[in-house]
Amino acid sequence: MSADVELENVWIRFGDFVAAREVNITIPGGSFFSFLGPSGCGKTTLLRAVSGFMEPSEGRVKIGGKDMAGIGPNKRPTALIFQNLALFPLMTVWENIAFALEVKGVGKAERRKRADELLDLIALPDQGEKMVHELSGGQKQRVAIARALAAEPDVLLLDEPLSALDLKLRQHMRTELRAIQQRVGITFIYITHDQGEALTMSDNVAVMSEGVIQQVTDGNTLYDHPETSFVASFVGENNLFRGRVKETNAQQTVVETNVGPIRARTSTKAALNNGDPAFVFVRPESLKFANGAHADNNIKATVHTEEFEGHFWQVFLDVAGGDKRIKMSLVNEGTALGHAPGAEVDLSFSAELAVALPEGQLAAE
Amino acid sequence: MNPSGYFRRFFVRNGTALGTFLLLSVAFWMFVMIILPQAFMIDFSFRHNLPPAELGGAKDTYTTEHYEFMVYGSAESEGEFNTVDLGVFVRTLIAAFFVTLFDLAICYPIAYFLAHSAQGGWSRLMVLSLIVPFWVNEILRAFAFRIMFGSAGVINGFLMWLGVIDQPVDFIRENVALYAGLGYAFILLMIFPLYNAIESLDKNQIEAARDMGASWIRIHRRIVIPFAKPGISSGCTMVFMLSAGALAAPQILGGPSSLWFTQIIYQWFQTGNNWNRGSAYALILLASTIIFVLLMMKVFKVKLGEIAR
Ligand SMILES: Nc1ncnc2c1ncn2[C@@H]1O[C@H](COP(=O)(O)OP(=O)(O)OP(=O)(O)O)[C@@H](O)[C@H]1O
Ligand SMILES: [Mg+2]
């Protein structure tokens, strides 16, 4: 069974400090949903409110349509996988996995059978008799997942479960987690500050900053259509140009920046009026060397360095009047770019691939 | 690691001078403070109680008479066994055992609360309020207990005021005062090992168990207690050993008709002027408490090394 999770106007305060501010999210049952945000933005706090270790100061948490107020973590249809896994070191692997069944009073033979089934599910057959400390990091990871699944939760909550693993294992576990989610079909709520994880695994991602939900959508839309300056600067790389709105309509907005007017797409959500301070974001891969053909935007720049990365060329450029060095990514087409440092070049990009957003908070570098 | 390699590394790390000093001082401590005095006592316990003039004379031979006395009594006494001394001995061990259980039952919740629930300032205040009373010296504390548990003491007064009893209870004769005094005397020796053990338990483990629907009883039985077992055993060992070997509290708080085994030992040394028999009795107490503790550790599957953690 899977269940919807709804957060209705949830606020969480610690004294004067607000850890979550007016959170409204509906997570469809059976989906893989991620909260993505920098460290300290309130992700764990929000997850604890869903699992029942903490009650929101205001607002409601509903699971499967049922209001969870006053219902403890042991009574909620959720299972939480902790940031540090919290496996029981004095129990064997199978006892760890079968703990939820032990709590329910299931007999030992039945527990063992179920634990073995789950060990098969996580591809660790015949490892039941081992102690937890005899497992590798990735194996512990999978045991923690099996232990949580044994409780047959409607919602599985995962608090940065991959953060302790090395890069390779992390990438492998991403695929594995997604596969397990699709096999068991329950709702997964996943927390991470790693955007790669969030974008690859999730049906939907909520980007969070300082307790505020910035945007909720699928990974693709998040990357291509950011709605706030925080999302634009946090998800993927972006070049920023600051300025003021010169003219705007439903499709396009012209922003007068230090490097001249830039024509950009008008964001669907964020309303801009003439004269408003605005940010224009252009992704490195949207920038091109001008080839004489007509383009919406043309800017002059000086090459600082060119870095060869095999698949890509990364070109760093200085723009007269720009406050930061900008970056351009070009697919390697087999020929050297051959710009000497200091070379003057013309860049162009289409208005469709640039977005104008109201001036706002930026992600820390 | 082989021992010679270990020693070489020990000297390399500390330098020859410091290494020698450390080694010698540990050896001195072991030998002069522990082994030598106990060896004297053992030797004593196997000799006849002779007047000074005959020491080293023909009569000064080894004997097991004092150990036999403890079991069979004197030749003239009626009855096959020394029921008085054996009775006191067994009663002392049983009482010490229950004092230990009582302390464990009280200290476990306190230690758990200190380790996992109390917030910074509160827990410091609680620890302080546990420690400060022990600045009061033992004898003052014991007599204060005697007054408190006396027939005109606050406890009787309170119970009578409540109407639970209408005659004062003689807590001293019933040894209630003694057990309470002993229990209180060693409470810190129970709390601190428990606290240390429980404190190092990852809070998330408790939350994980709770998240999976475990009741508090199960969380303690399956997670906290197994984890704290080394602390529990070291606390219990200390409280048991020290209660069984306590002297001041039984002297002051014990009922007039019942003796603590240490009081018999004391009598042999002091009034009986028979140091040989006294040391035999004391060694019997030492050996039996050690055996008892090892037995308990076997039952609860605790290793000696874990206690020292
Ligand atoms: N019990 C608490 N009392 C006071 N402040 C708290 C408490 N728990 C969390 N906070 C604060 O709430 C904010 C959010 O914390 P939270 O643990 O949810 O962050 P997070 O997004 O999970 O970060 P990370 O990625 O580092 O785990 C932090 O600023 C933290 O200091
Ligand atoms: Mg966190």
Side-chain angles (χ1 to χ4, degrees):
Chain A
M1 253 254 308
S2 67
D4 292 356
V5 177
E6 293 158 79
L7 302 175
E8 289 179 7
N9 188 33
V10 168
W11 291 69
I12 297 171
R13 297 191 184 87
F14 298 110
D16 288 339
F17 180 77
V18 182
R21 186 184 296 270
E22 209 188 339
V23 175
N24 281 292
I25 286 181
T26 301
I27 299 167
S31 70
F32 198 122
F33 190 95
S34 293
F35 283 96
L36 171 65
S39 181
C41 72
K43 304 181 297 289
T44 299
T45 307
L46 216 48
L47 205 65
R48 290 174 69 81
V50 175
S51 57
F53 286 109
M54 148 186 295
E55 292 281 343
S57 321
E58 213 178 291
R60 255 193 299 276
V61 175
K62 286 187 185 172
I63 300 176
K66 202 164 156 249
D67 190 348
M68 287 288 129
I71 299 180
N74 49 343
K75 296 279 188 311
R76 294 195 184 188
T78 57
L80 174 61
I81 296 178
F82 288 80
Q83 210 157 354
N84 68 350
L85 305 185
L87 293 172
F88 306 131
L90 299 175
M91 296 185 198
T92 60
V93 166
W94 84 264
E95 282 178 313
N96 260 283
I97 295 177
F99 187 78
L101 301 171
E102 184 188 320
V103 167
K104 287 184 188 144
V106 176
K108 185 167 174 185
E110 176 64 26
R111 292 207 303 265
R112 183 67 215 243
K113 189 165 145 275
R114 186 81 186 104
D116 284 340
E117 285 168 17
L118 283 162
L119 281 167
D120 283 343
L121 177 82
I122 56 167
L124 281 180
D126 310 321
Q127 309 269 339
E129 294 296 340
K130 282 194 177 169
M131 295 306 279
V132 171
H133 67 87
E134 295 173 290
L135 300 179
S136 72
Q139 290 173 329
K140 281 184 195 154
Q141 192 61 63
R142 283 182 273 175
V143 170
I145 293 165
R147 185 179 69 171
L149 290 176
E152 301 194 336
D154 298 338
V155 181
L156 191 67
L157 308 168
L158 305 99
D159 190 353
E160 307 204 30
L162 306 186
S163 54
L165 306 181
D166 62 56
L167 183 66
K168 217 167 184 114
L169 201 51
R170 212 153 61 214
Q171 284 169 343
H172 172 73
M173 285 303 296
R174 282 182 196 172
T175 334
E176 195 121 321
L177 264 180
R178 183 67 176 155
I180 290 174
Q181 192 264 336
Q182 277 163 352
R183 233 173 301 157
V184 295
I186 61 173
T187 317
F188 272 41
I189 301 182
Y190 190 91
I191 275 187
T192 181
H193 59 248
D194 179 331
Q195 44 179 300
E197 277 176 18
L199 298 185
T200 46
M201 289 191 287
S202 328
D203 296 314
N204 280 298
V205 182
V207 178
M208 240 182 130
S209 161
E210 295 179 359
V212 179
I213 301 293
Q214 298 277 336
Q215 189 173 356
V216 186
T217 182
D218 63 278
N220 215 327
T221 314
L222 204 59
Y223 191 85
D224 289 337
H225 298 276
E227 284 168 7
T228 68
S229 56
F230 181 83
V231 174
S233 56
F234 186 68
V235 179
E237 287 185 278
N238 244 327
N239 295 306
L240 165 65
F241 301 94
R242 298 162 195 264
R244 280 185 185 276
V245 178
K246 195 171 159 200
E247 56 178 274
T248 179
N249 61 34
Q251 280 76 42
Q252 292 200 337
T253 300
V254 179
V255 178
E256 189 61 52
T257 70
N258 294 343
V259 301
I262 296 182
R263 186 173 290 277
R265 180 163 47 79
T266 303
S267 164
T268 39
K269 286 282 160 60
L272 280 170
N273 295 312
N274 285 347
D276 283 354
F279 288 163
V280 177
F281 291 95
V282 188
R283 298 231 176 252
E285 66 270 25
S286 304
L287 289 171
K288 299 276 176 281
F289 286 119
N291 57 6
H294 170 77
D296 298 325
N297 296 292
N298 284 291
I299 51 178
K300 288 199 181 308
T302 329
V303 174
H304 180 262
T305 39
E306 288 178 355
E307 285 175 5
F308 180 59
E309 288 190 2
H311 203 58
F312 280 101
W313 284 97
Q314 307 282 20
V315 188
F316 295 89
L317 310 117
D318 293 312
V319 184
D323 47 17
K324 269 186 66 185
R325 183 156 296 150
I326 64 169
K327 182 175 172 182
M328 174 164 77
S329 301
L330 296 172
V331 175
N332 173 21
E333 283 165 343
T335 49
L337 293 179
H339 294 288
E344 307 249 323
V345 292
D346 286 325
L347 305 179
S348 69
F349 53 95
S350 104
E352 259 322 285
L353 298 176
V355 63
L357 293 168
E359 182 177 84
Q361 186 202 5
L362 295 171
E365 299 273 305
Chain B
M1 186 186 314
N2 69 4
S4 70
Y6 183 80
F7 272 112
R8 186 147 8 92
R9 220 153 333 142
F10 177 80
F11 279 109
V12 168
R13 191 148 27 108
N14 295 302
T16 317
L18 182 63
T20 313
F21 171 75
L22 285 175
L23 224 55
L24 282 182
S25 50
V26 169
F28 176 82
W29 167 260
M30 286 287 288
F31 188 70
V32 176
M33 307 299 271
I34 301 174
I35 297 177
L36 206 58
Q38 299 308 324
F40 272 122
M41 293 310 259
I42 293 173
D43 181 66
F44 246 65
S45 73
F46 284 104
R47 287 178 187 276
H48 297 286
N49 185 28
L50 299 171
E54 294 182 38
L55 283 179
K59 280 193 183 171
D60 197 356
T61 55
Y62 283 108
T63 172
T64 55
E65 67 163 310
H66 306 297
Y67 292 92
E68 283 164 24
F69 186 91
M70 157 96 188
V71 182
Y72 301 110
S74 65
E76 307 92 61
S77 68
E78 51 205 275
E80 229 179 303
F81 291 103
N82 186 352
T83 41
V84 177
D85 289 1
L86 285 178
V88 171
F89 175 69
V90 172
R91 214 174 48 80
T92 300
L93 289 189
I94 293 176
F97 179 76
F98 280 103
V99 166
T100 309
L101 278 190
F102 174 74
D103 267 5
L104 179 60
I106 290 187
C107 296
Y108 180 83
I110 297 177
Y112 181 80
F113 178 80
L114 280 179
H116 281 274
S117 304
Q119 307 281 320
W122 268 110
S123 82
R124 262 196 302 278
L125 191 71
M126 265 184 81
V127 171
L128 212 61
S129 63
L130 282 167
I131 293 175
V132 169
F134 285 85
W135 294 355
V136 177
N137 60 56
E138 193 185 7
I139 198 144
L140 197 58
R141 197 166 350 116
F143 276 106
F145 259 66
R146 204 185 158 97
I147 295 169
M148 211 169 72
F149 279 98
S151 48
V154 275
I155 299 200
N156 268 312
F158 182 65
L159 289 177
M160 294 213 294
W161 178 77
L162 278 181
V164 181
I165 51 171
D166 42 33
Q167 285 288 310
V169 177
D170 193 343
F171 287 118
I172 308 283
R173 179 174 296 280
E174 302 296 333
N175 279 327
V176 173
L178 170 58
Y179 300 147
L182 282 175
Y184 181 63
F186 305 121
I187 227 163
L188 286 187
L189 293 174
M190 186 64 97
I191 284 190
F192 284 118
L194 284 182
Y195 173 80
N196 275 337
I198 296 176
E199 214 252 344
S200 61
L201 173 64
D202 173 15
K203 259 190 196 133
N204 286 348
Q205 280 186 30
I206 297 172
E207 293 201 332
R210 191 148 170 69
D211 190 46
M212 280 180 279
S215 60
W216 283 115
I217 293 181
R218 188 183 299 274
I219 290 174
H220 283 283
R221 215 187 59 218
R222 289 291 271 142
I223 315 289
V224 188
I225 294 178
F227 186 83
K229 215 161 68 174
I232 294 175
S233 12
S234 81
C236 287
T237 307
M238 280 198 274
V239 172
F240 177 74
M241 293 278 194
L242 289 172
S243 310
L247 182 60
Q251 293 275 44
I252 300 166
L253 293 169
S257 58
S258 56
L259 281 176
W260 204 248
F261 192 66
T262 48
Q263 289 174 284
I264 296 185
I265 299 173
Y266 184 72
Q267 279 171 8
W268 283 122
F269 274 105
Q270 222 45 33
T271 41
N273 208 5
N274 188 341
W275 282 45
N276 307 80
R277 187 155 296 165
S279 36
Y281 273 42
L283 285 166
I284 288 174
L285 179 65
L286 176 65
S288 21
T289 46
I290 289 177
I291 289 169
F292 183 78
V293 164
L294 291 178
L295 214 68
M296 282 293 146
M297 281 166 54
K298 186 112 191 147
V299 172
F300 290 105
K301 300 198 181 74
V302 185
K303 292 192 194 68
L304 200 57
E306 290 178 358
I307 286 192
R309 274 209 316 225

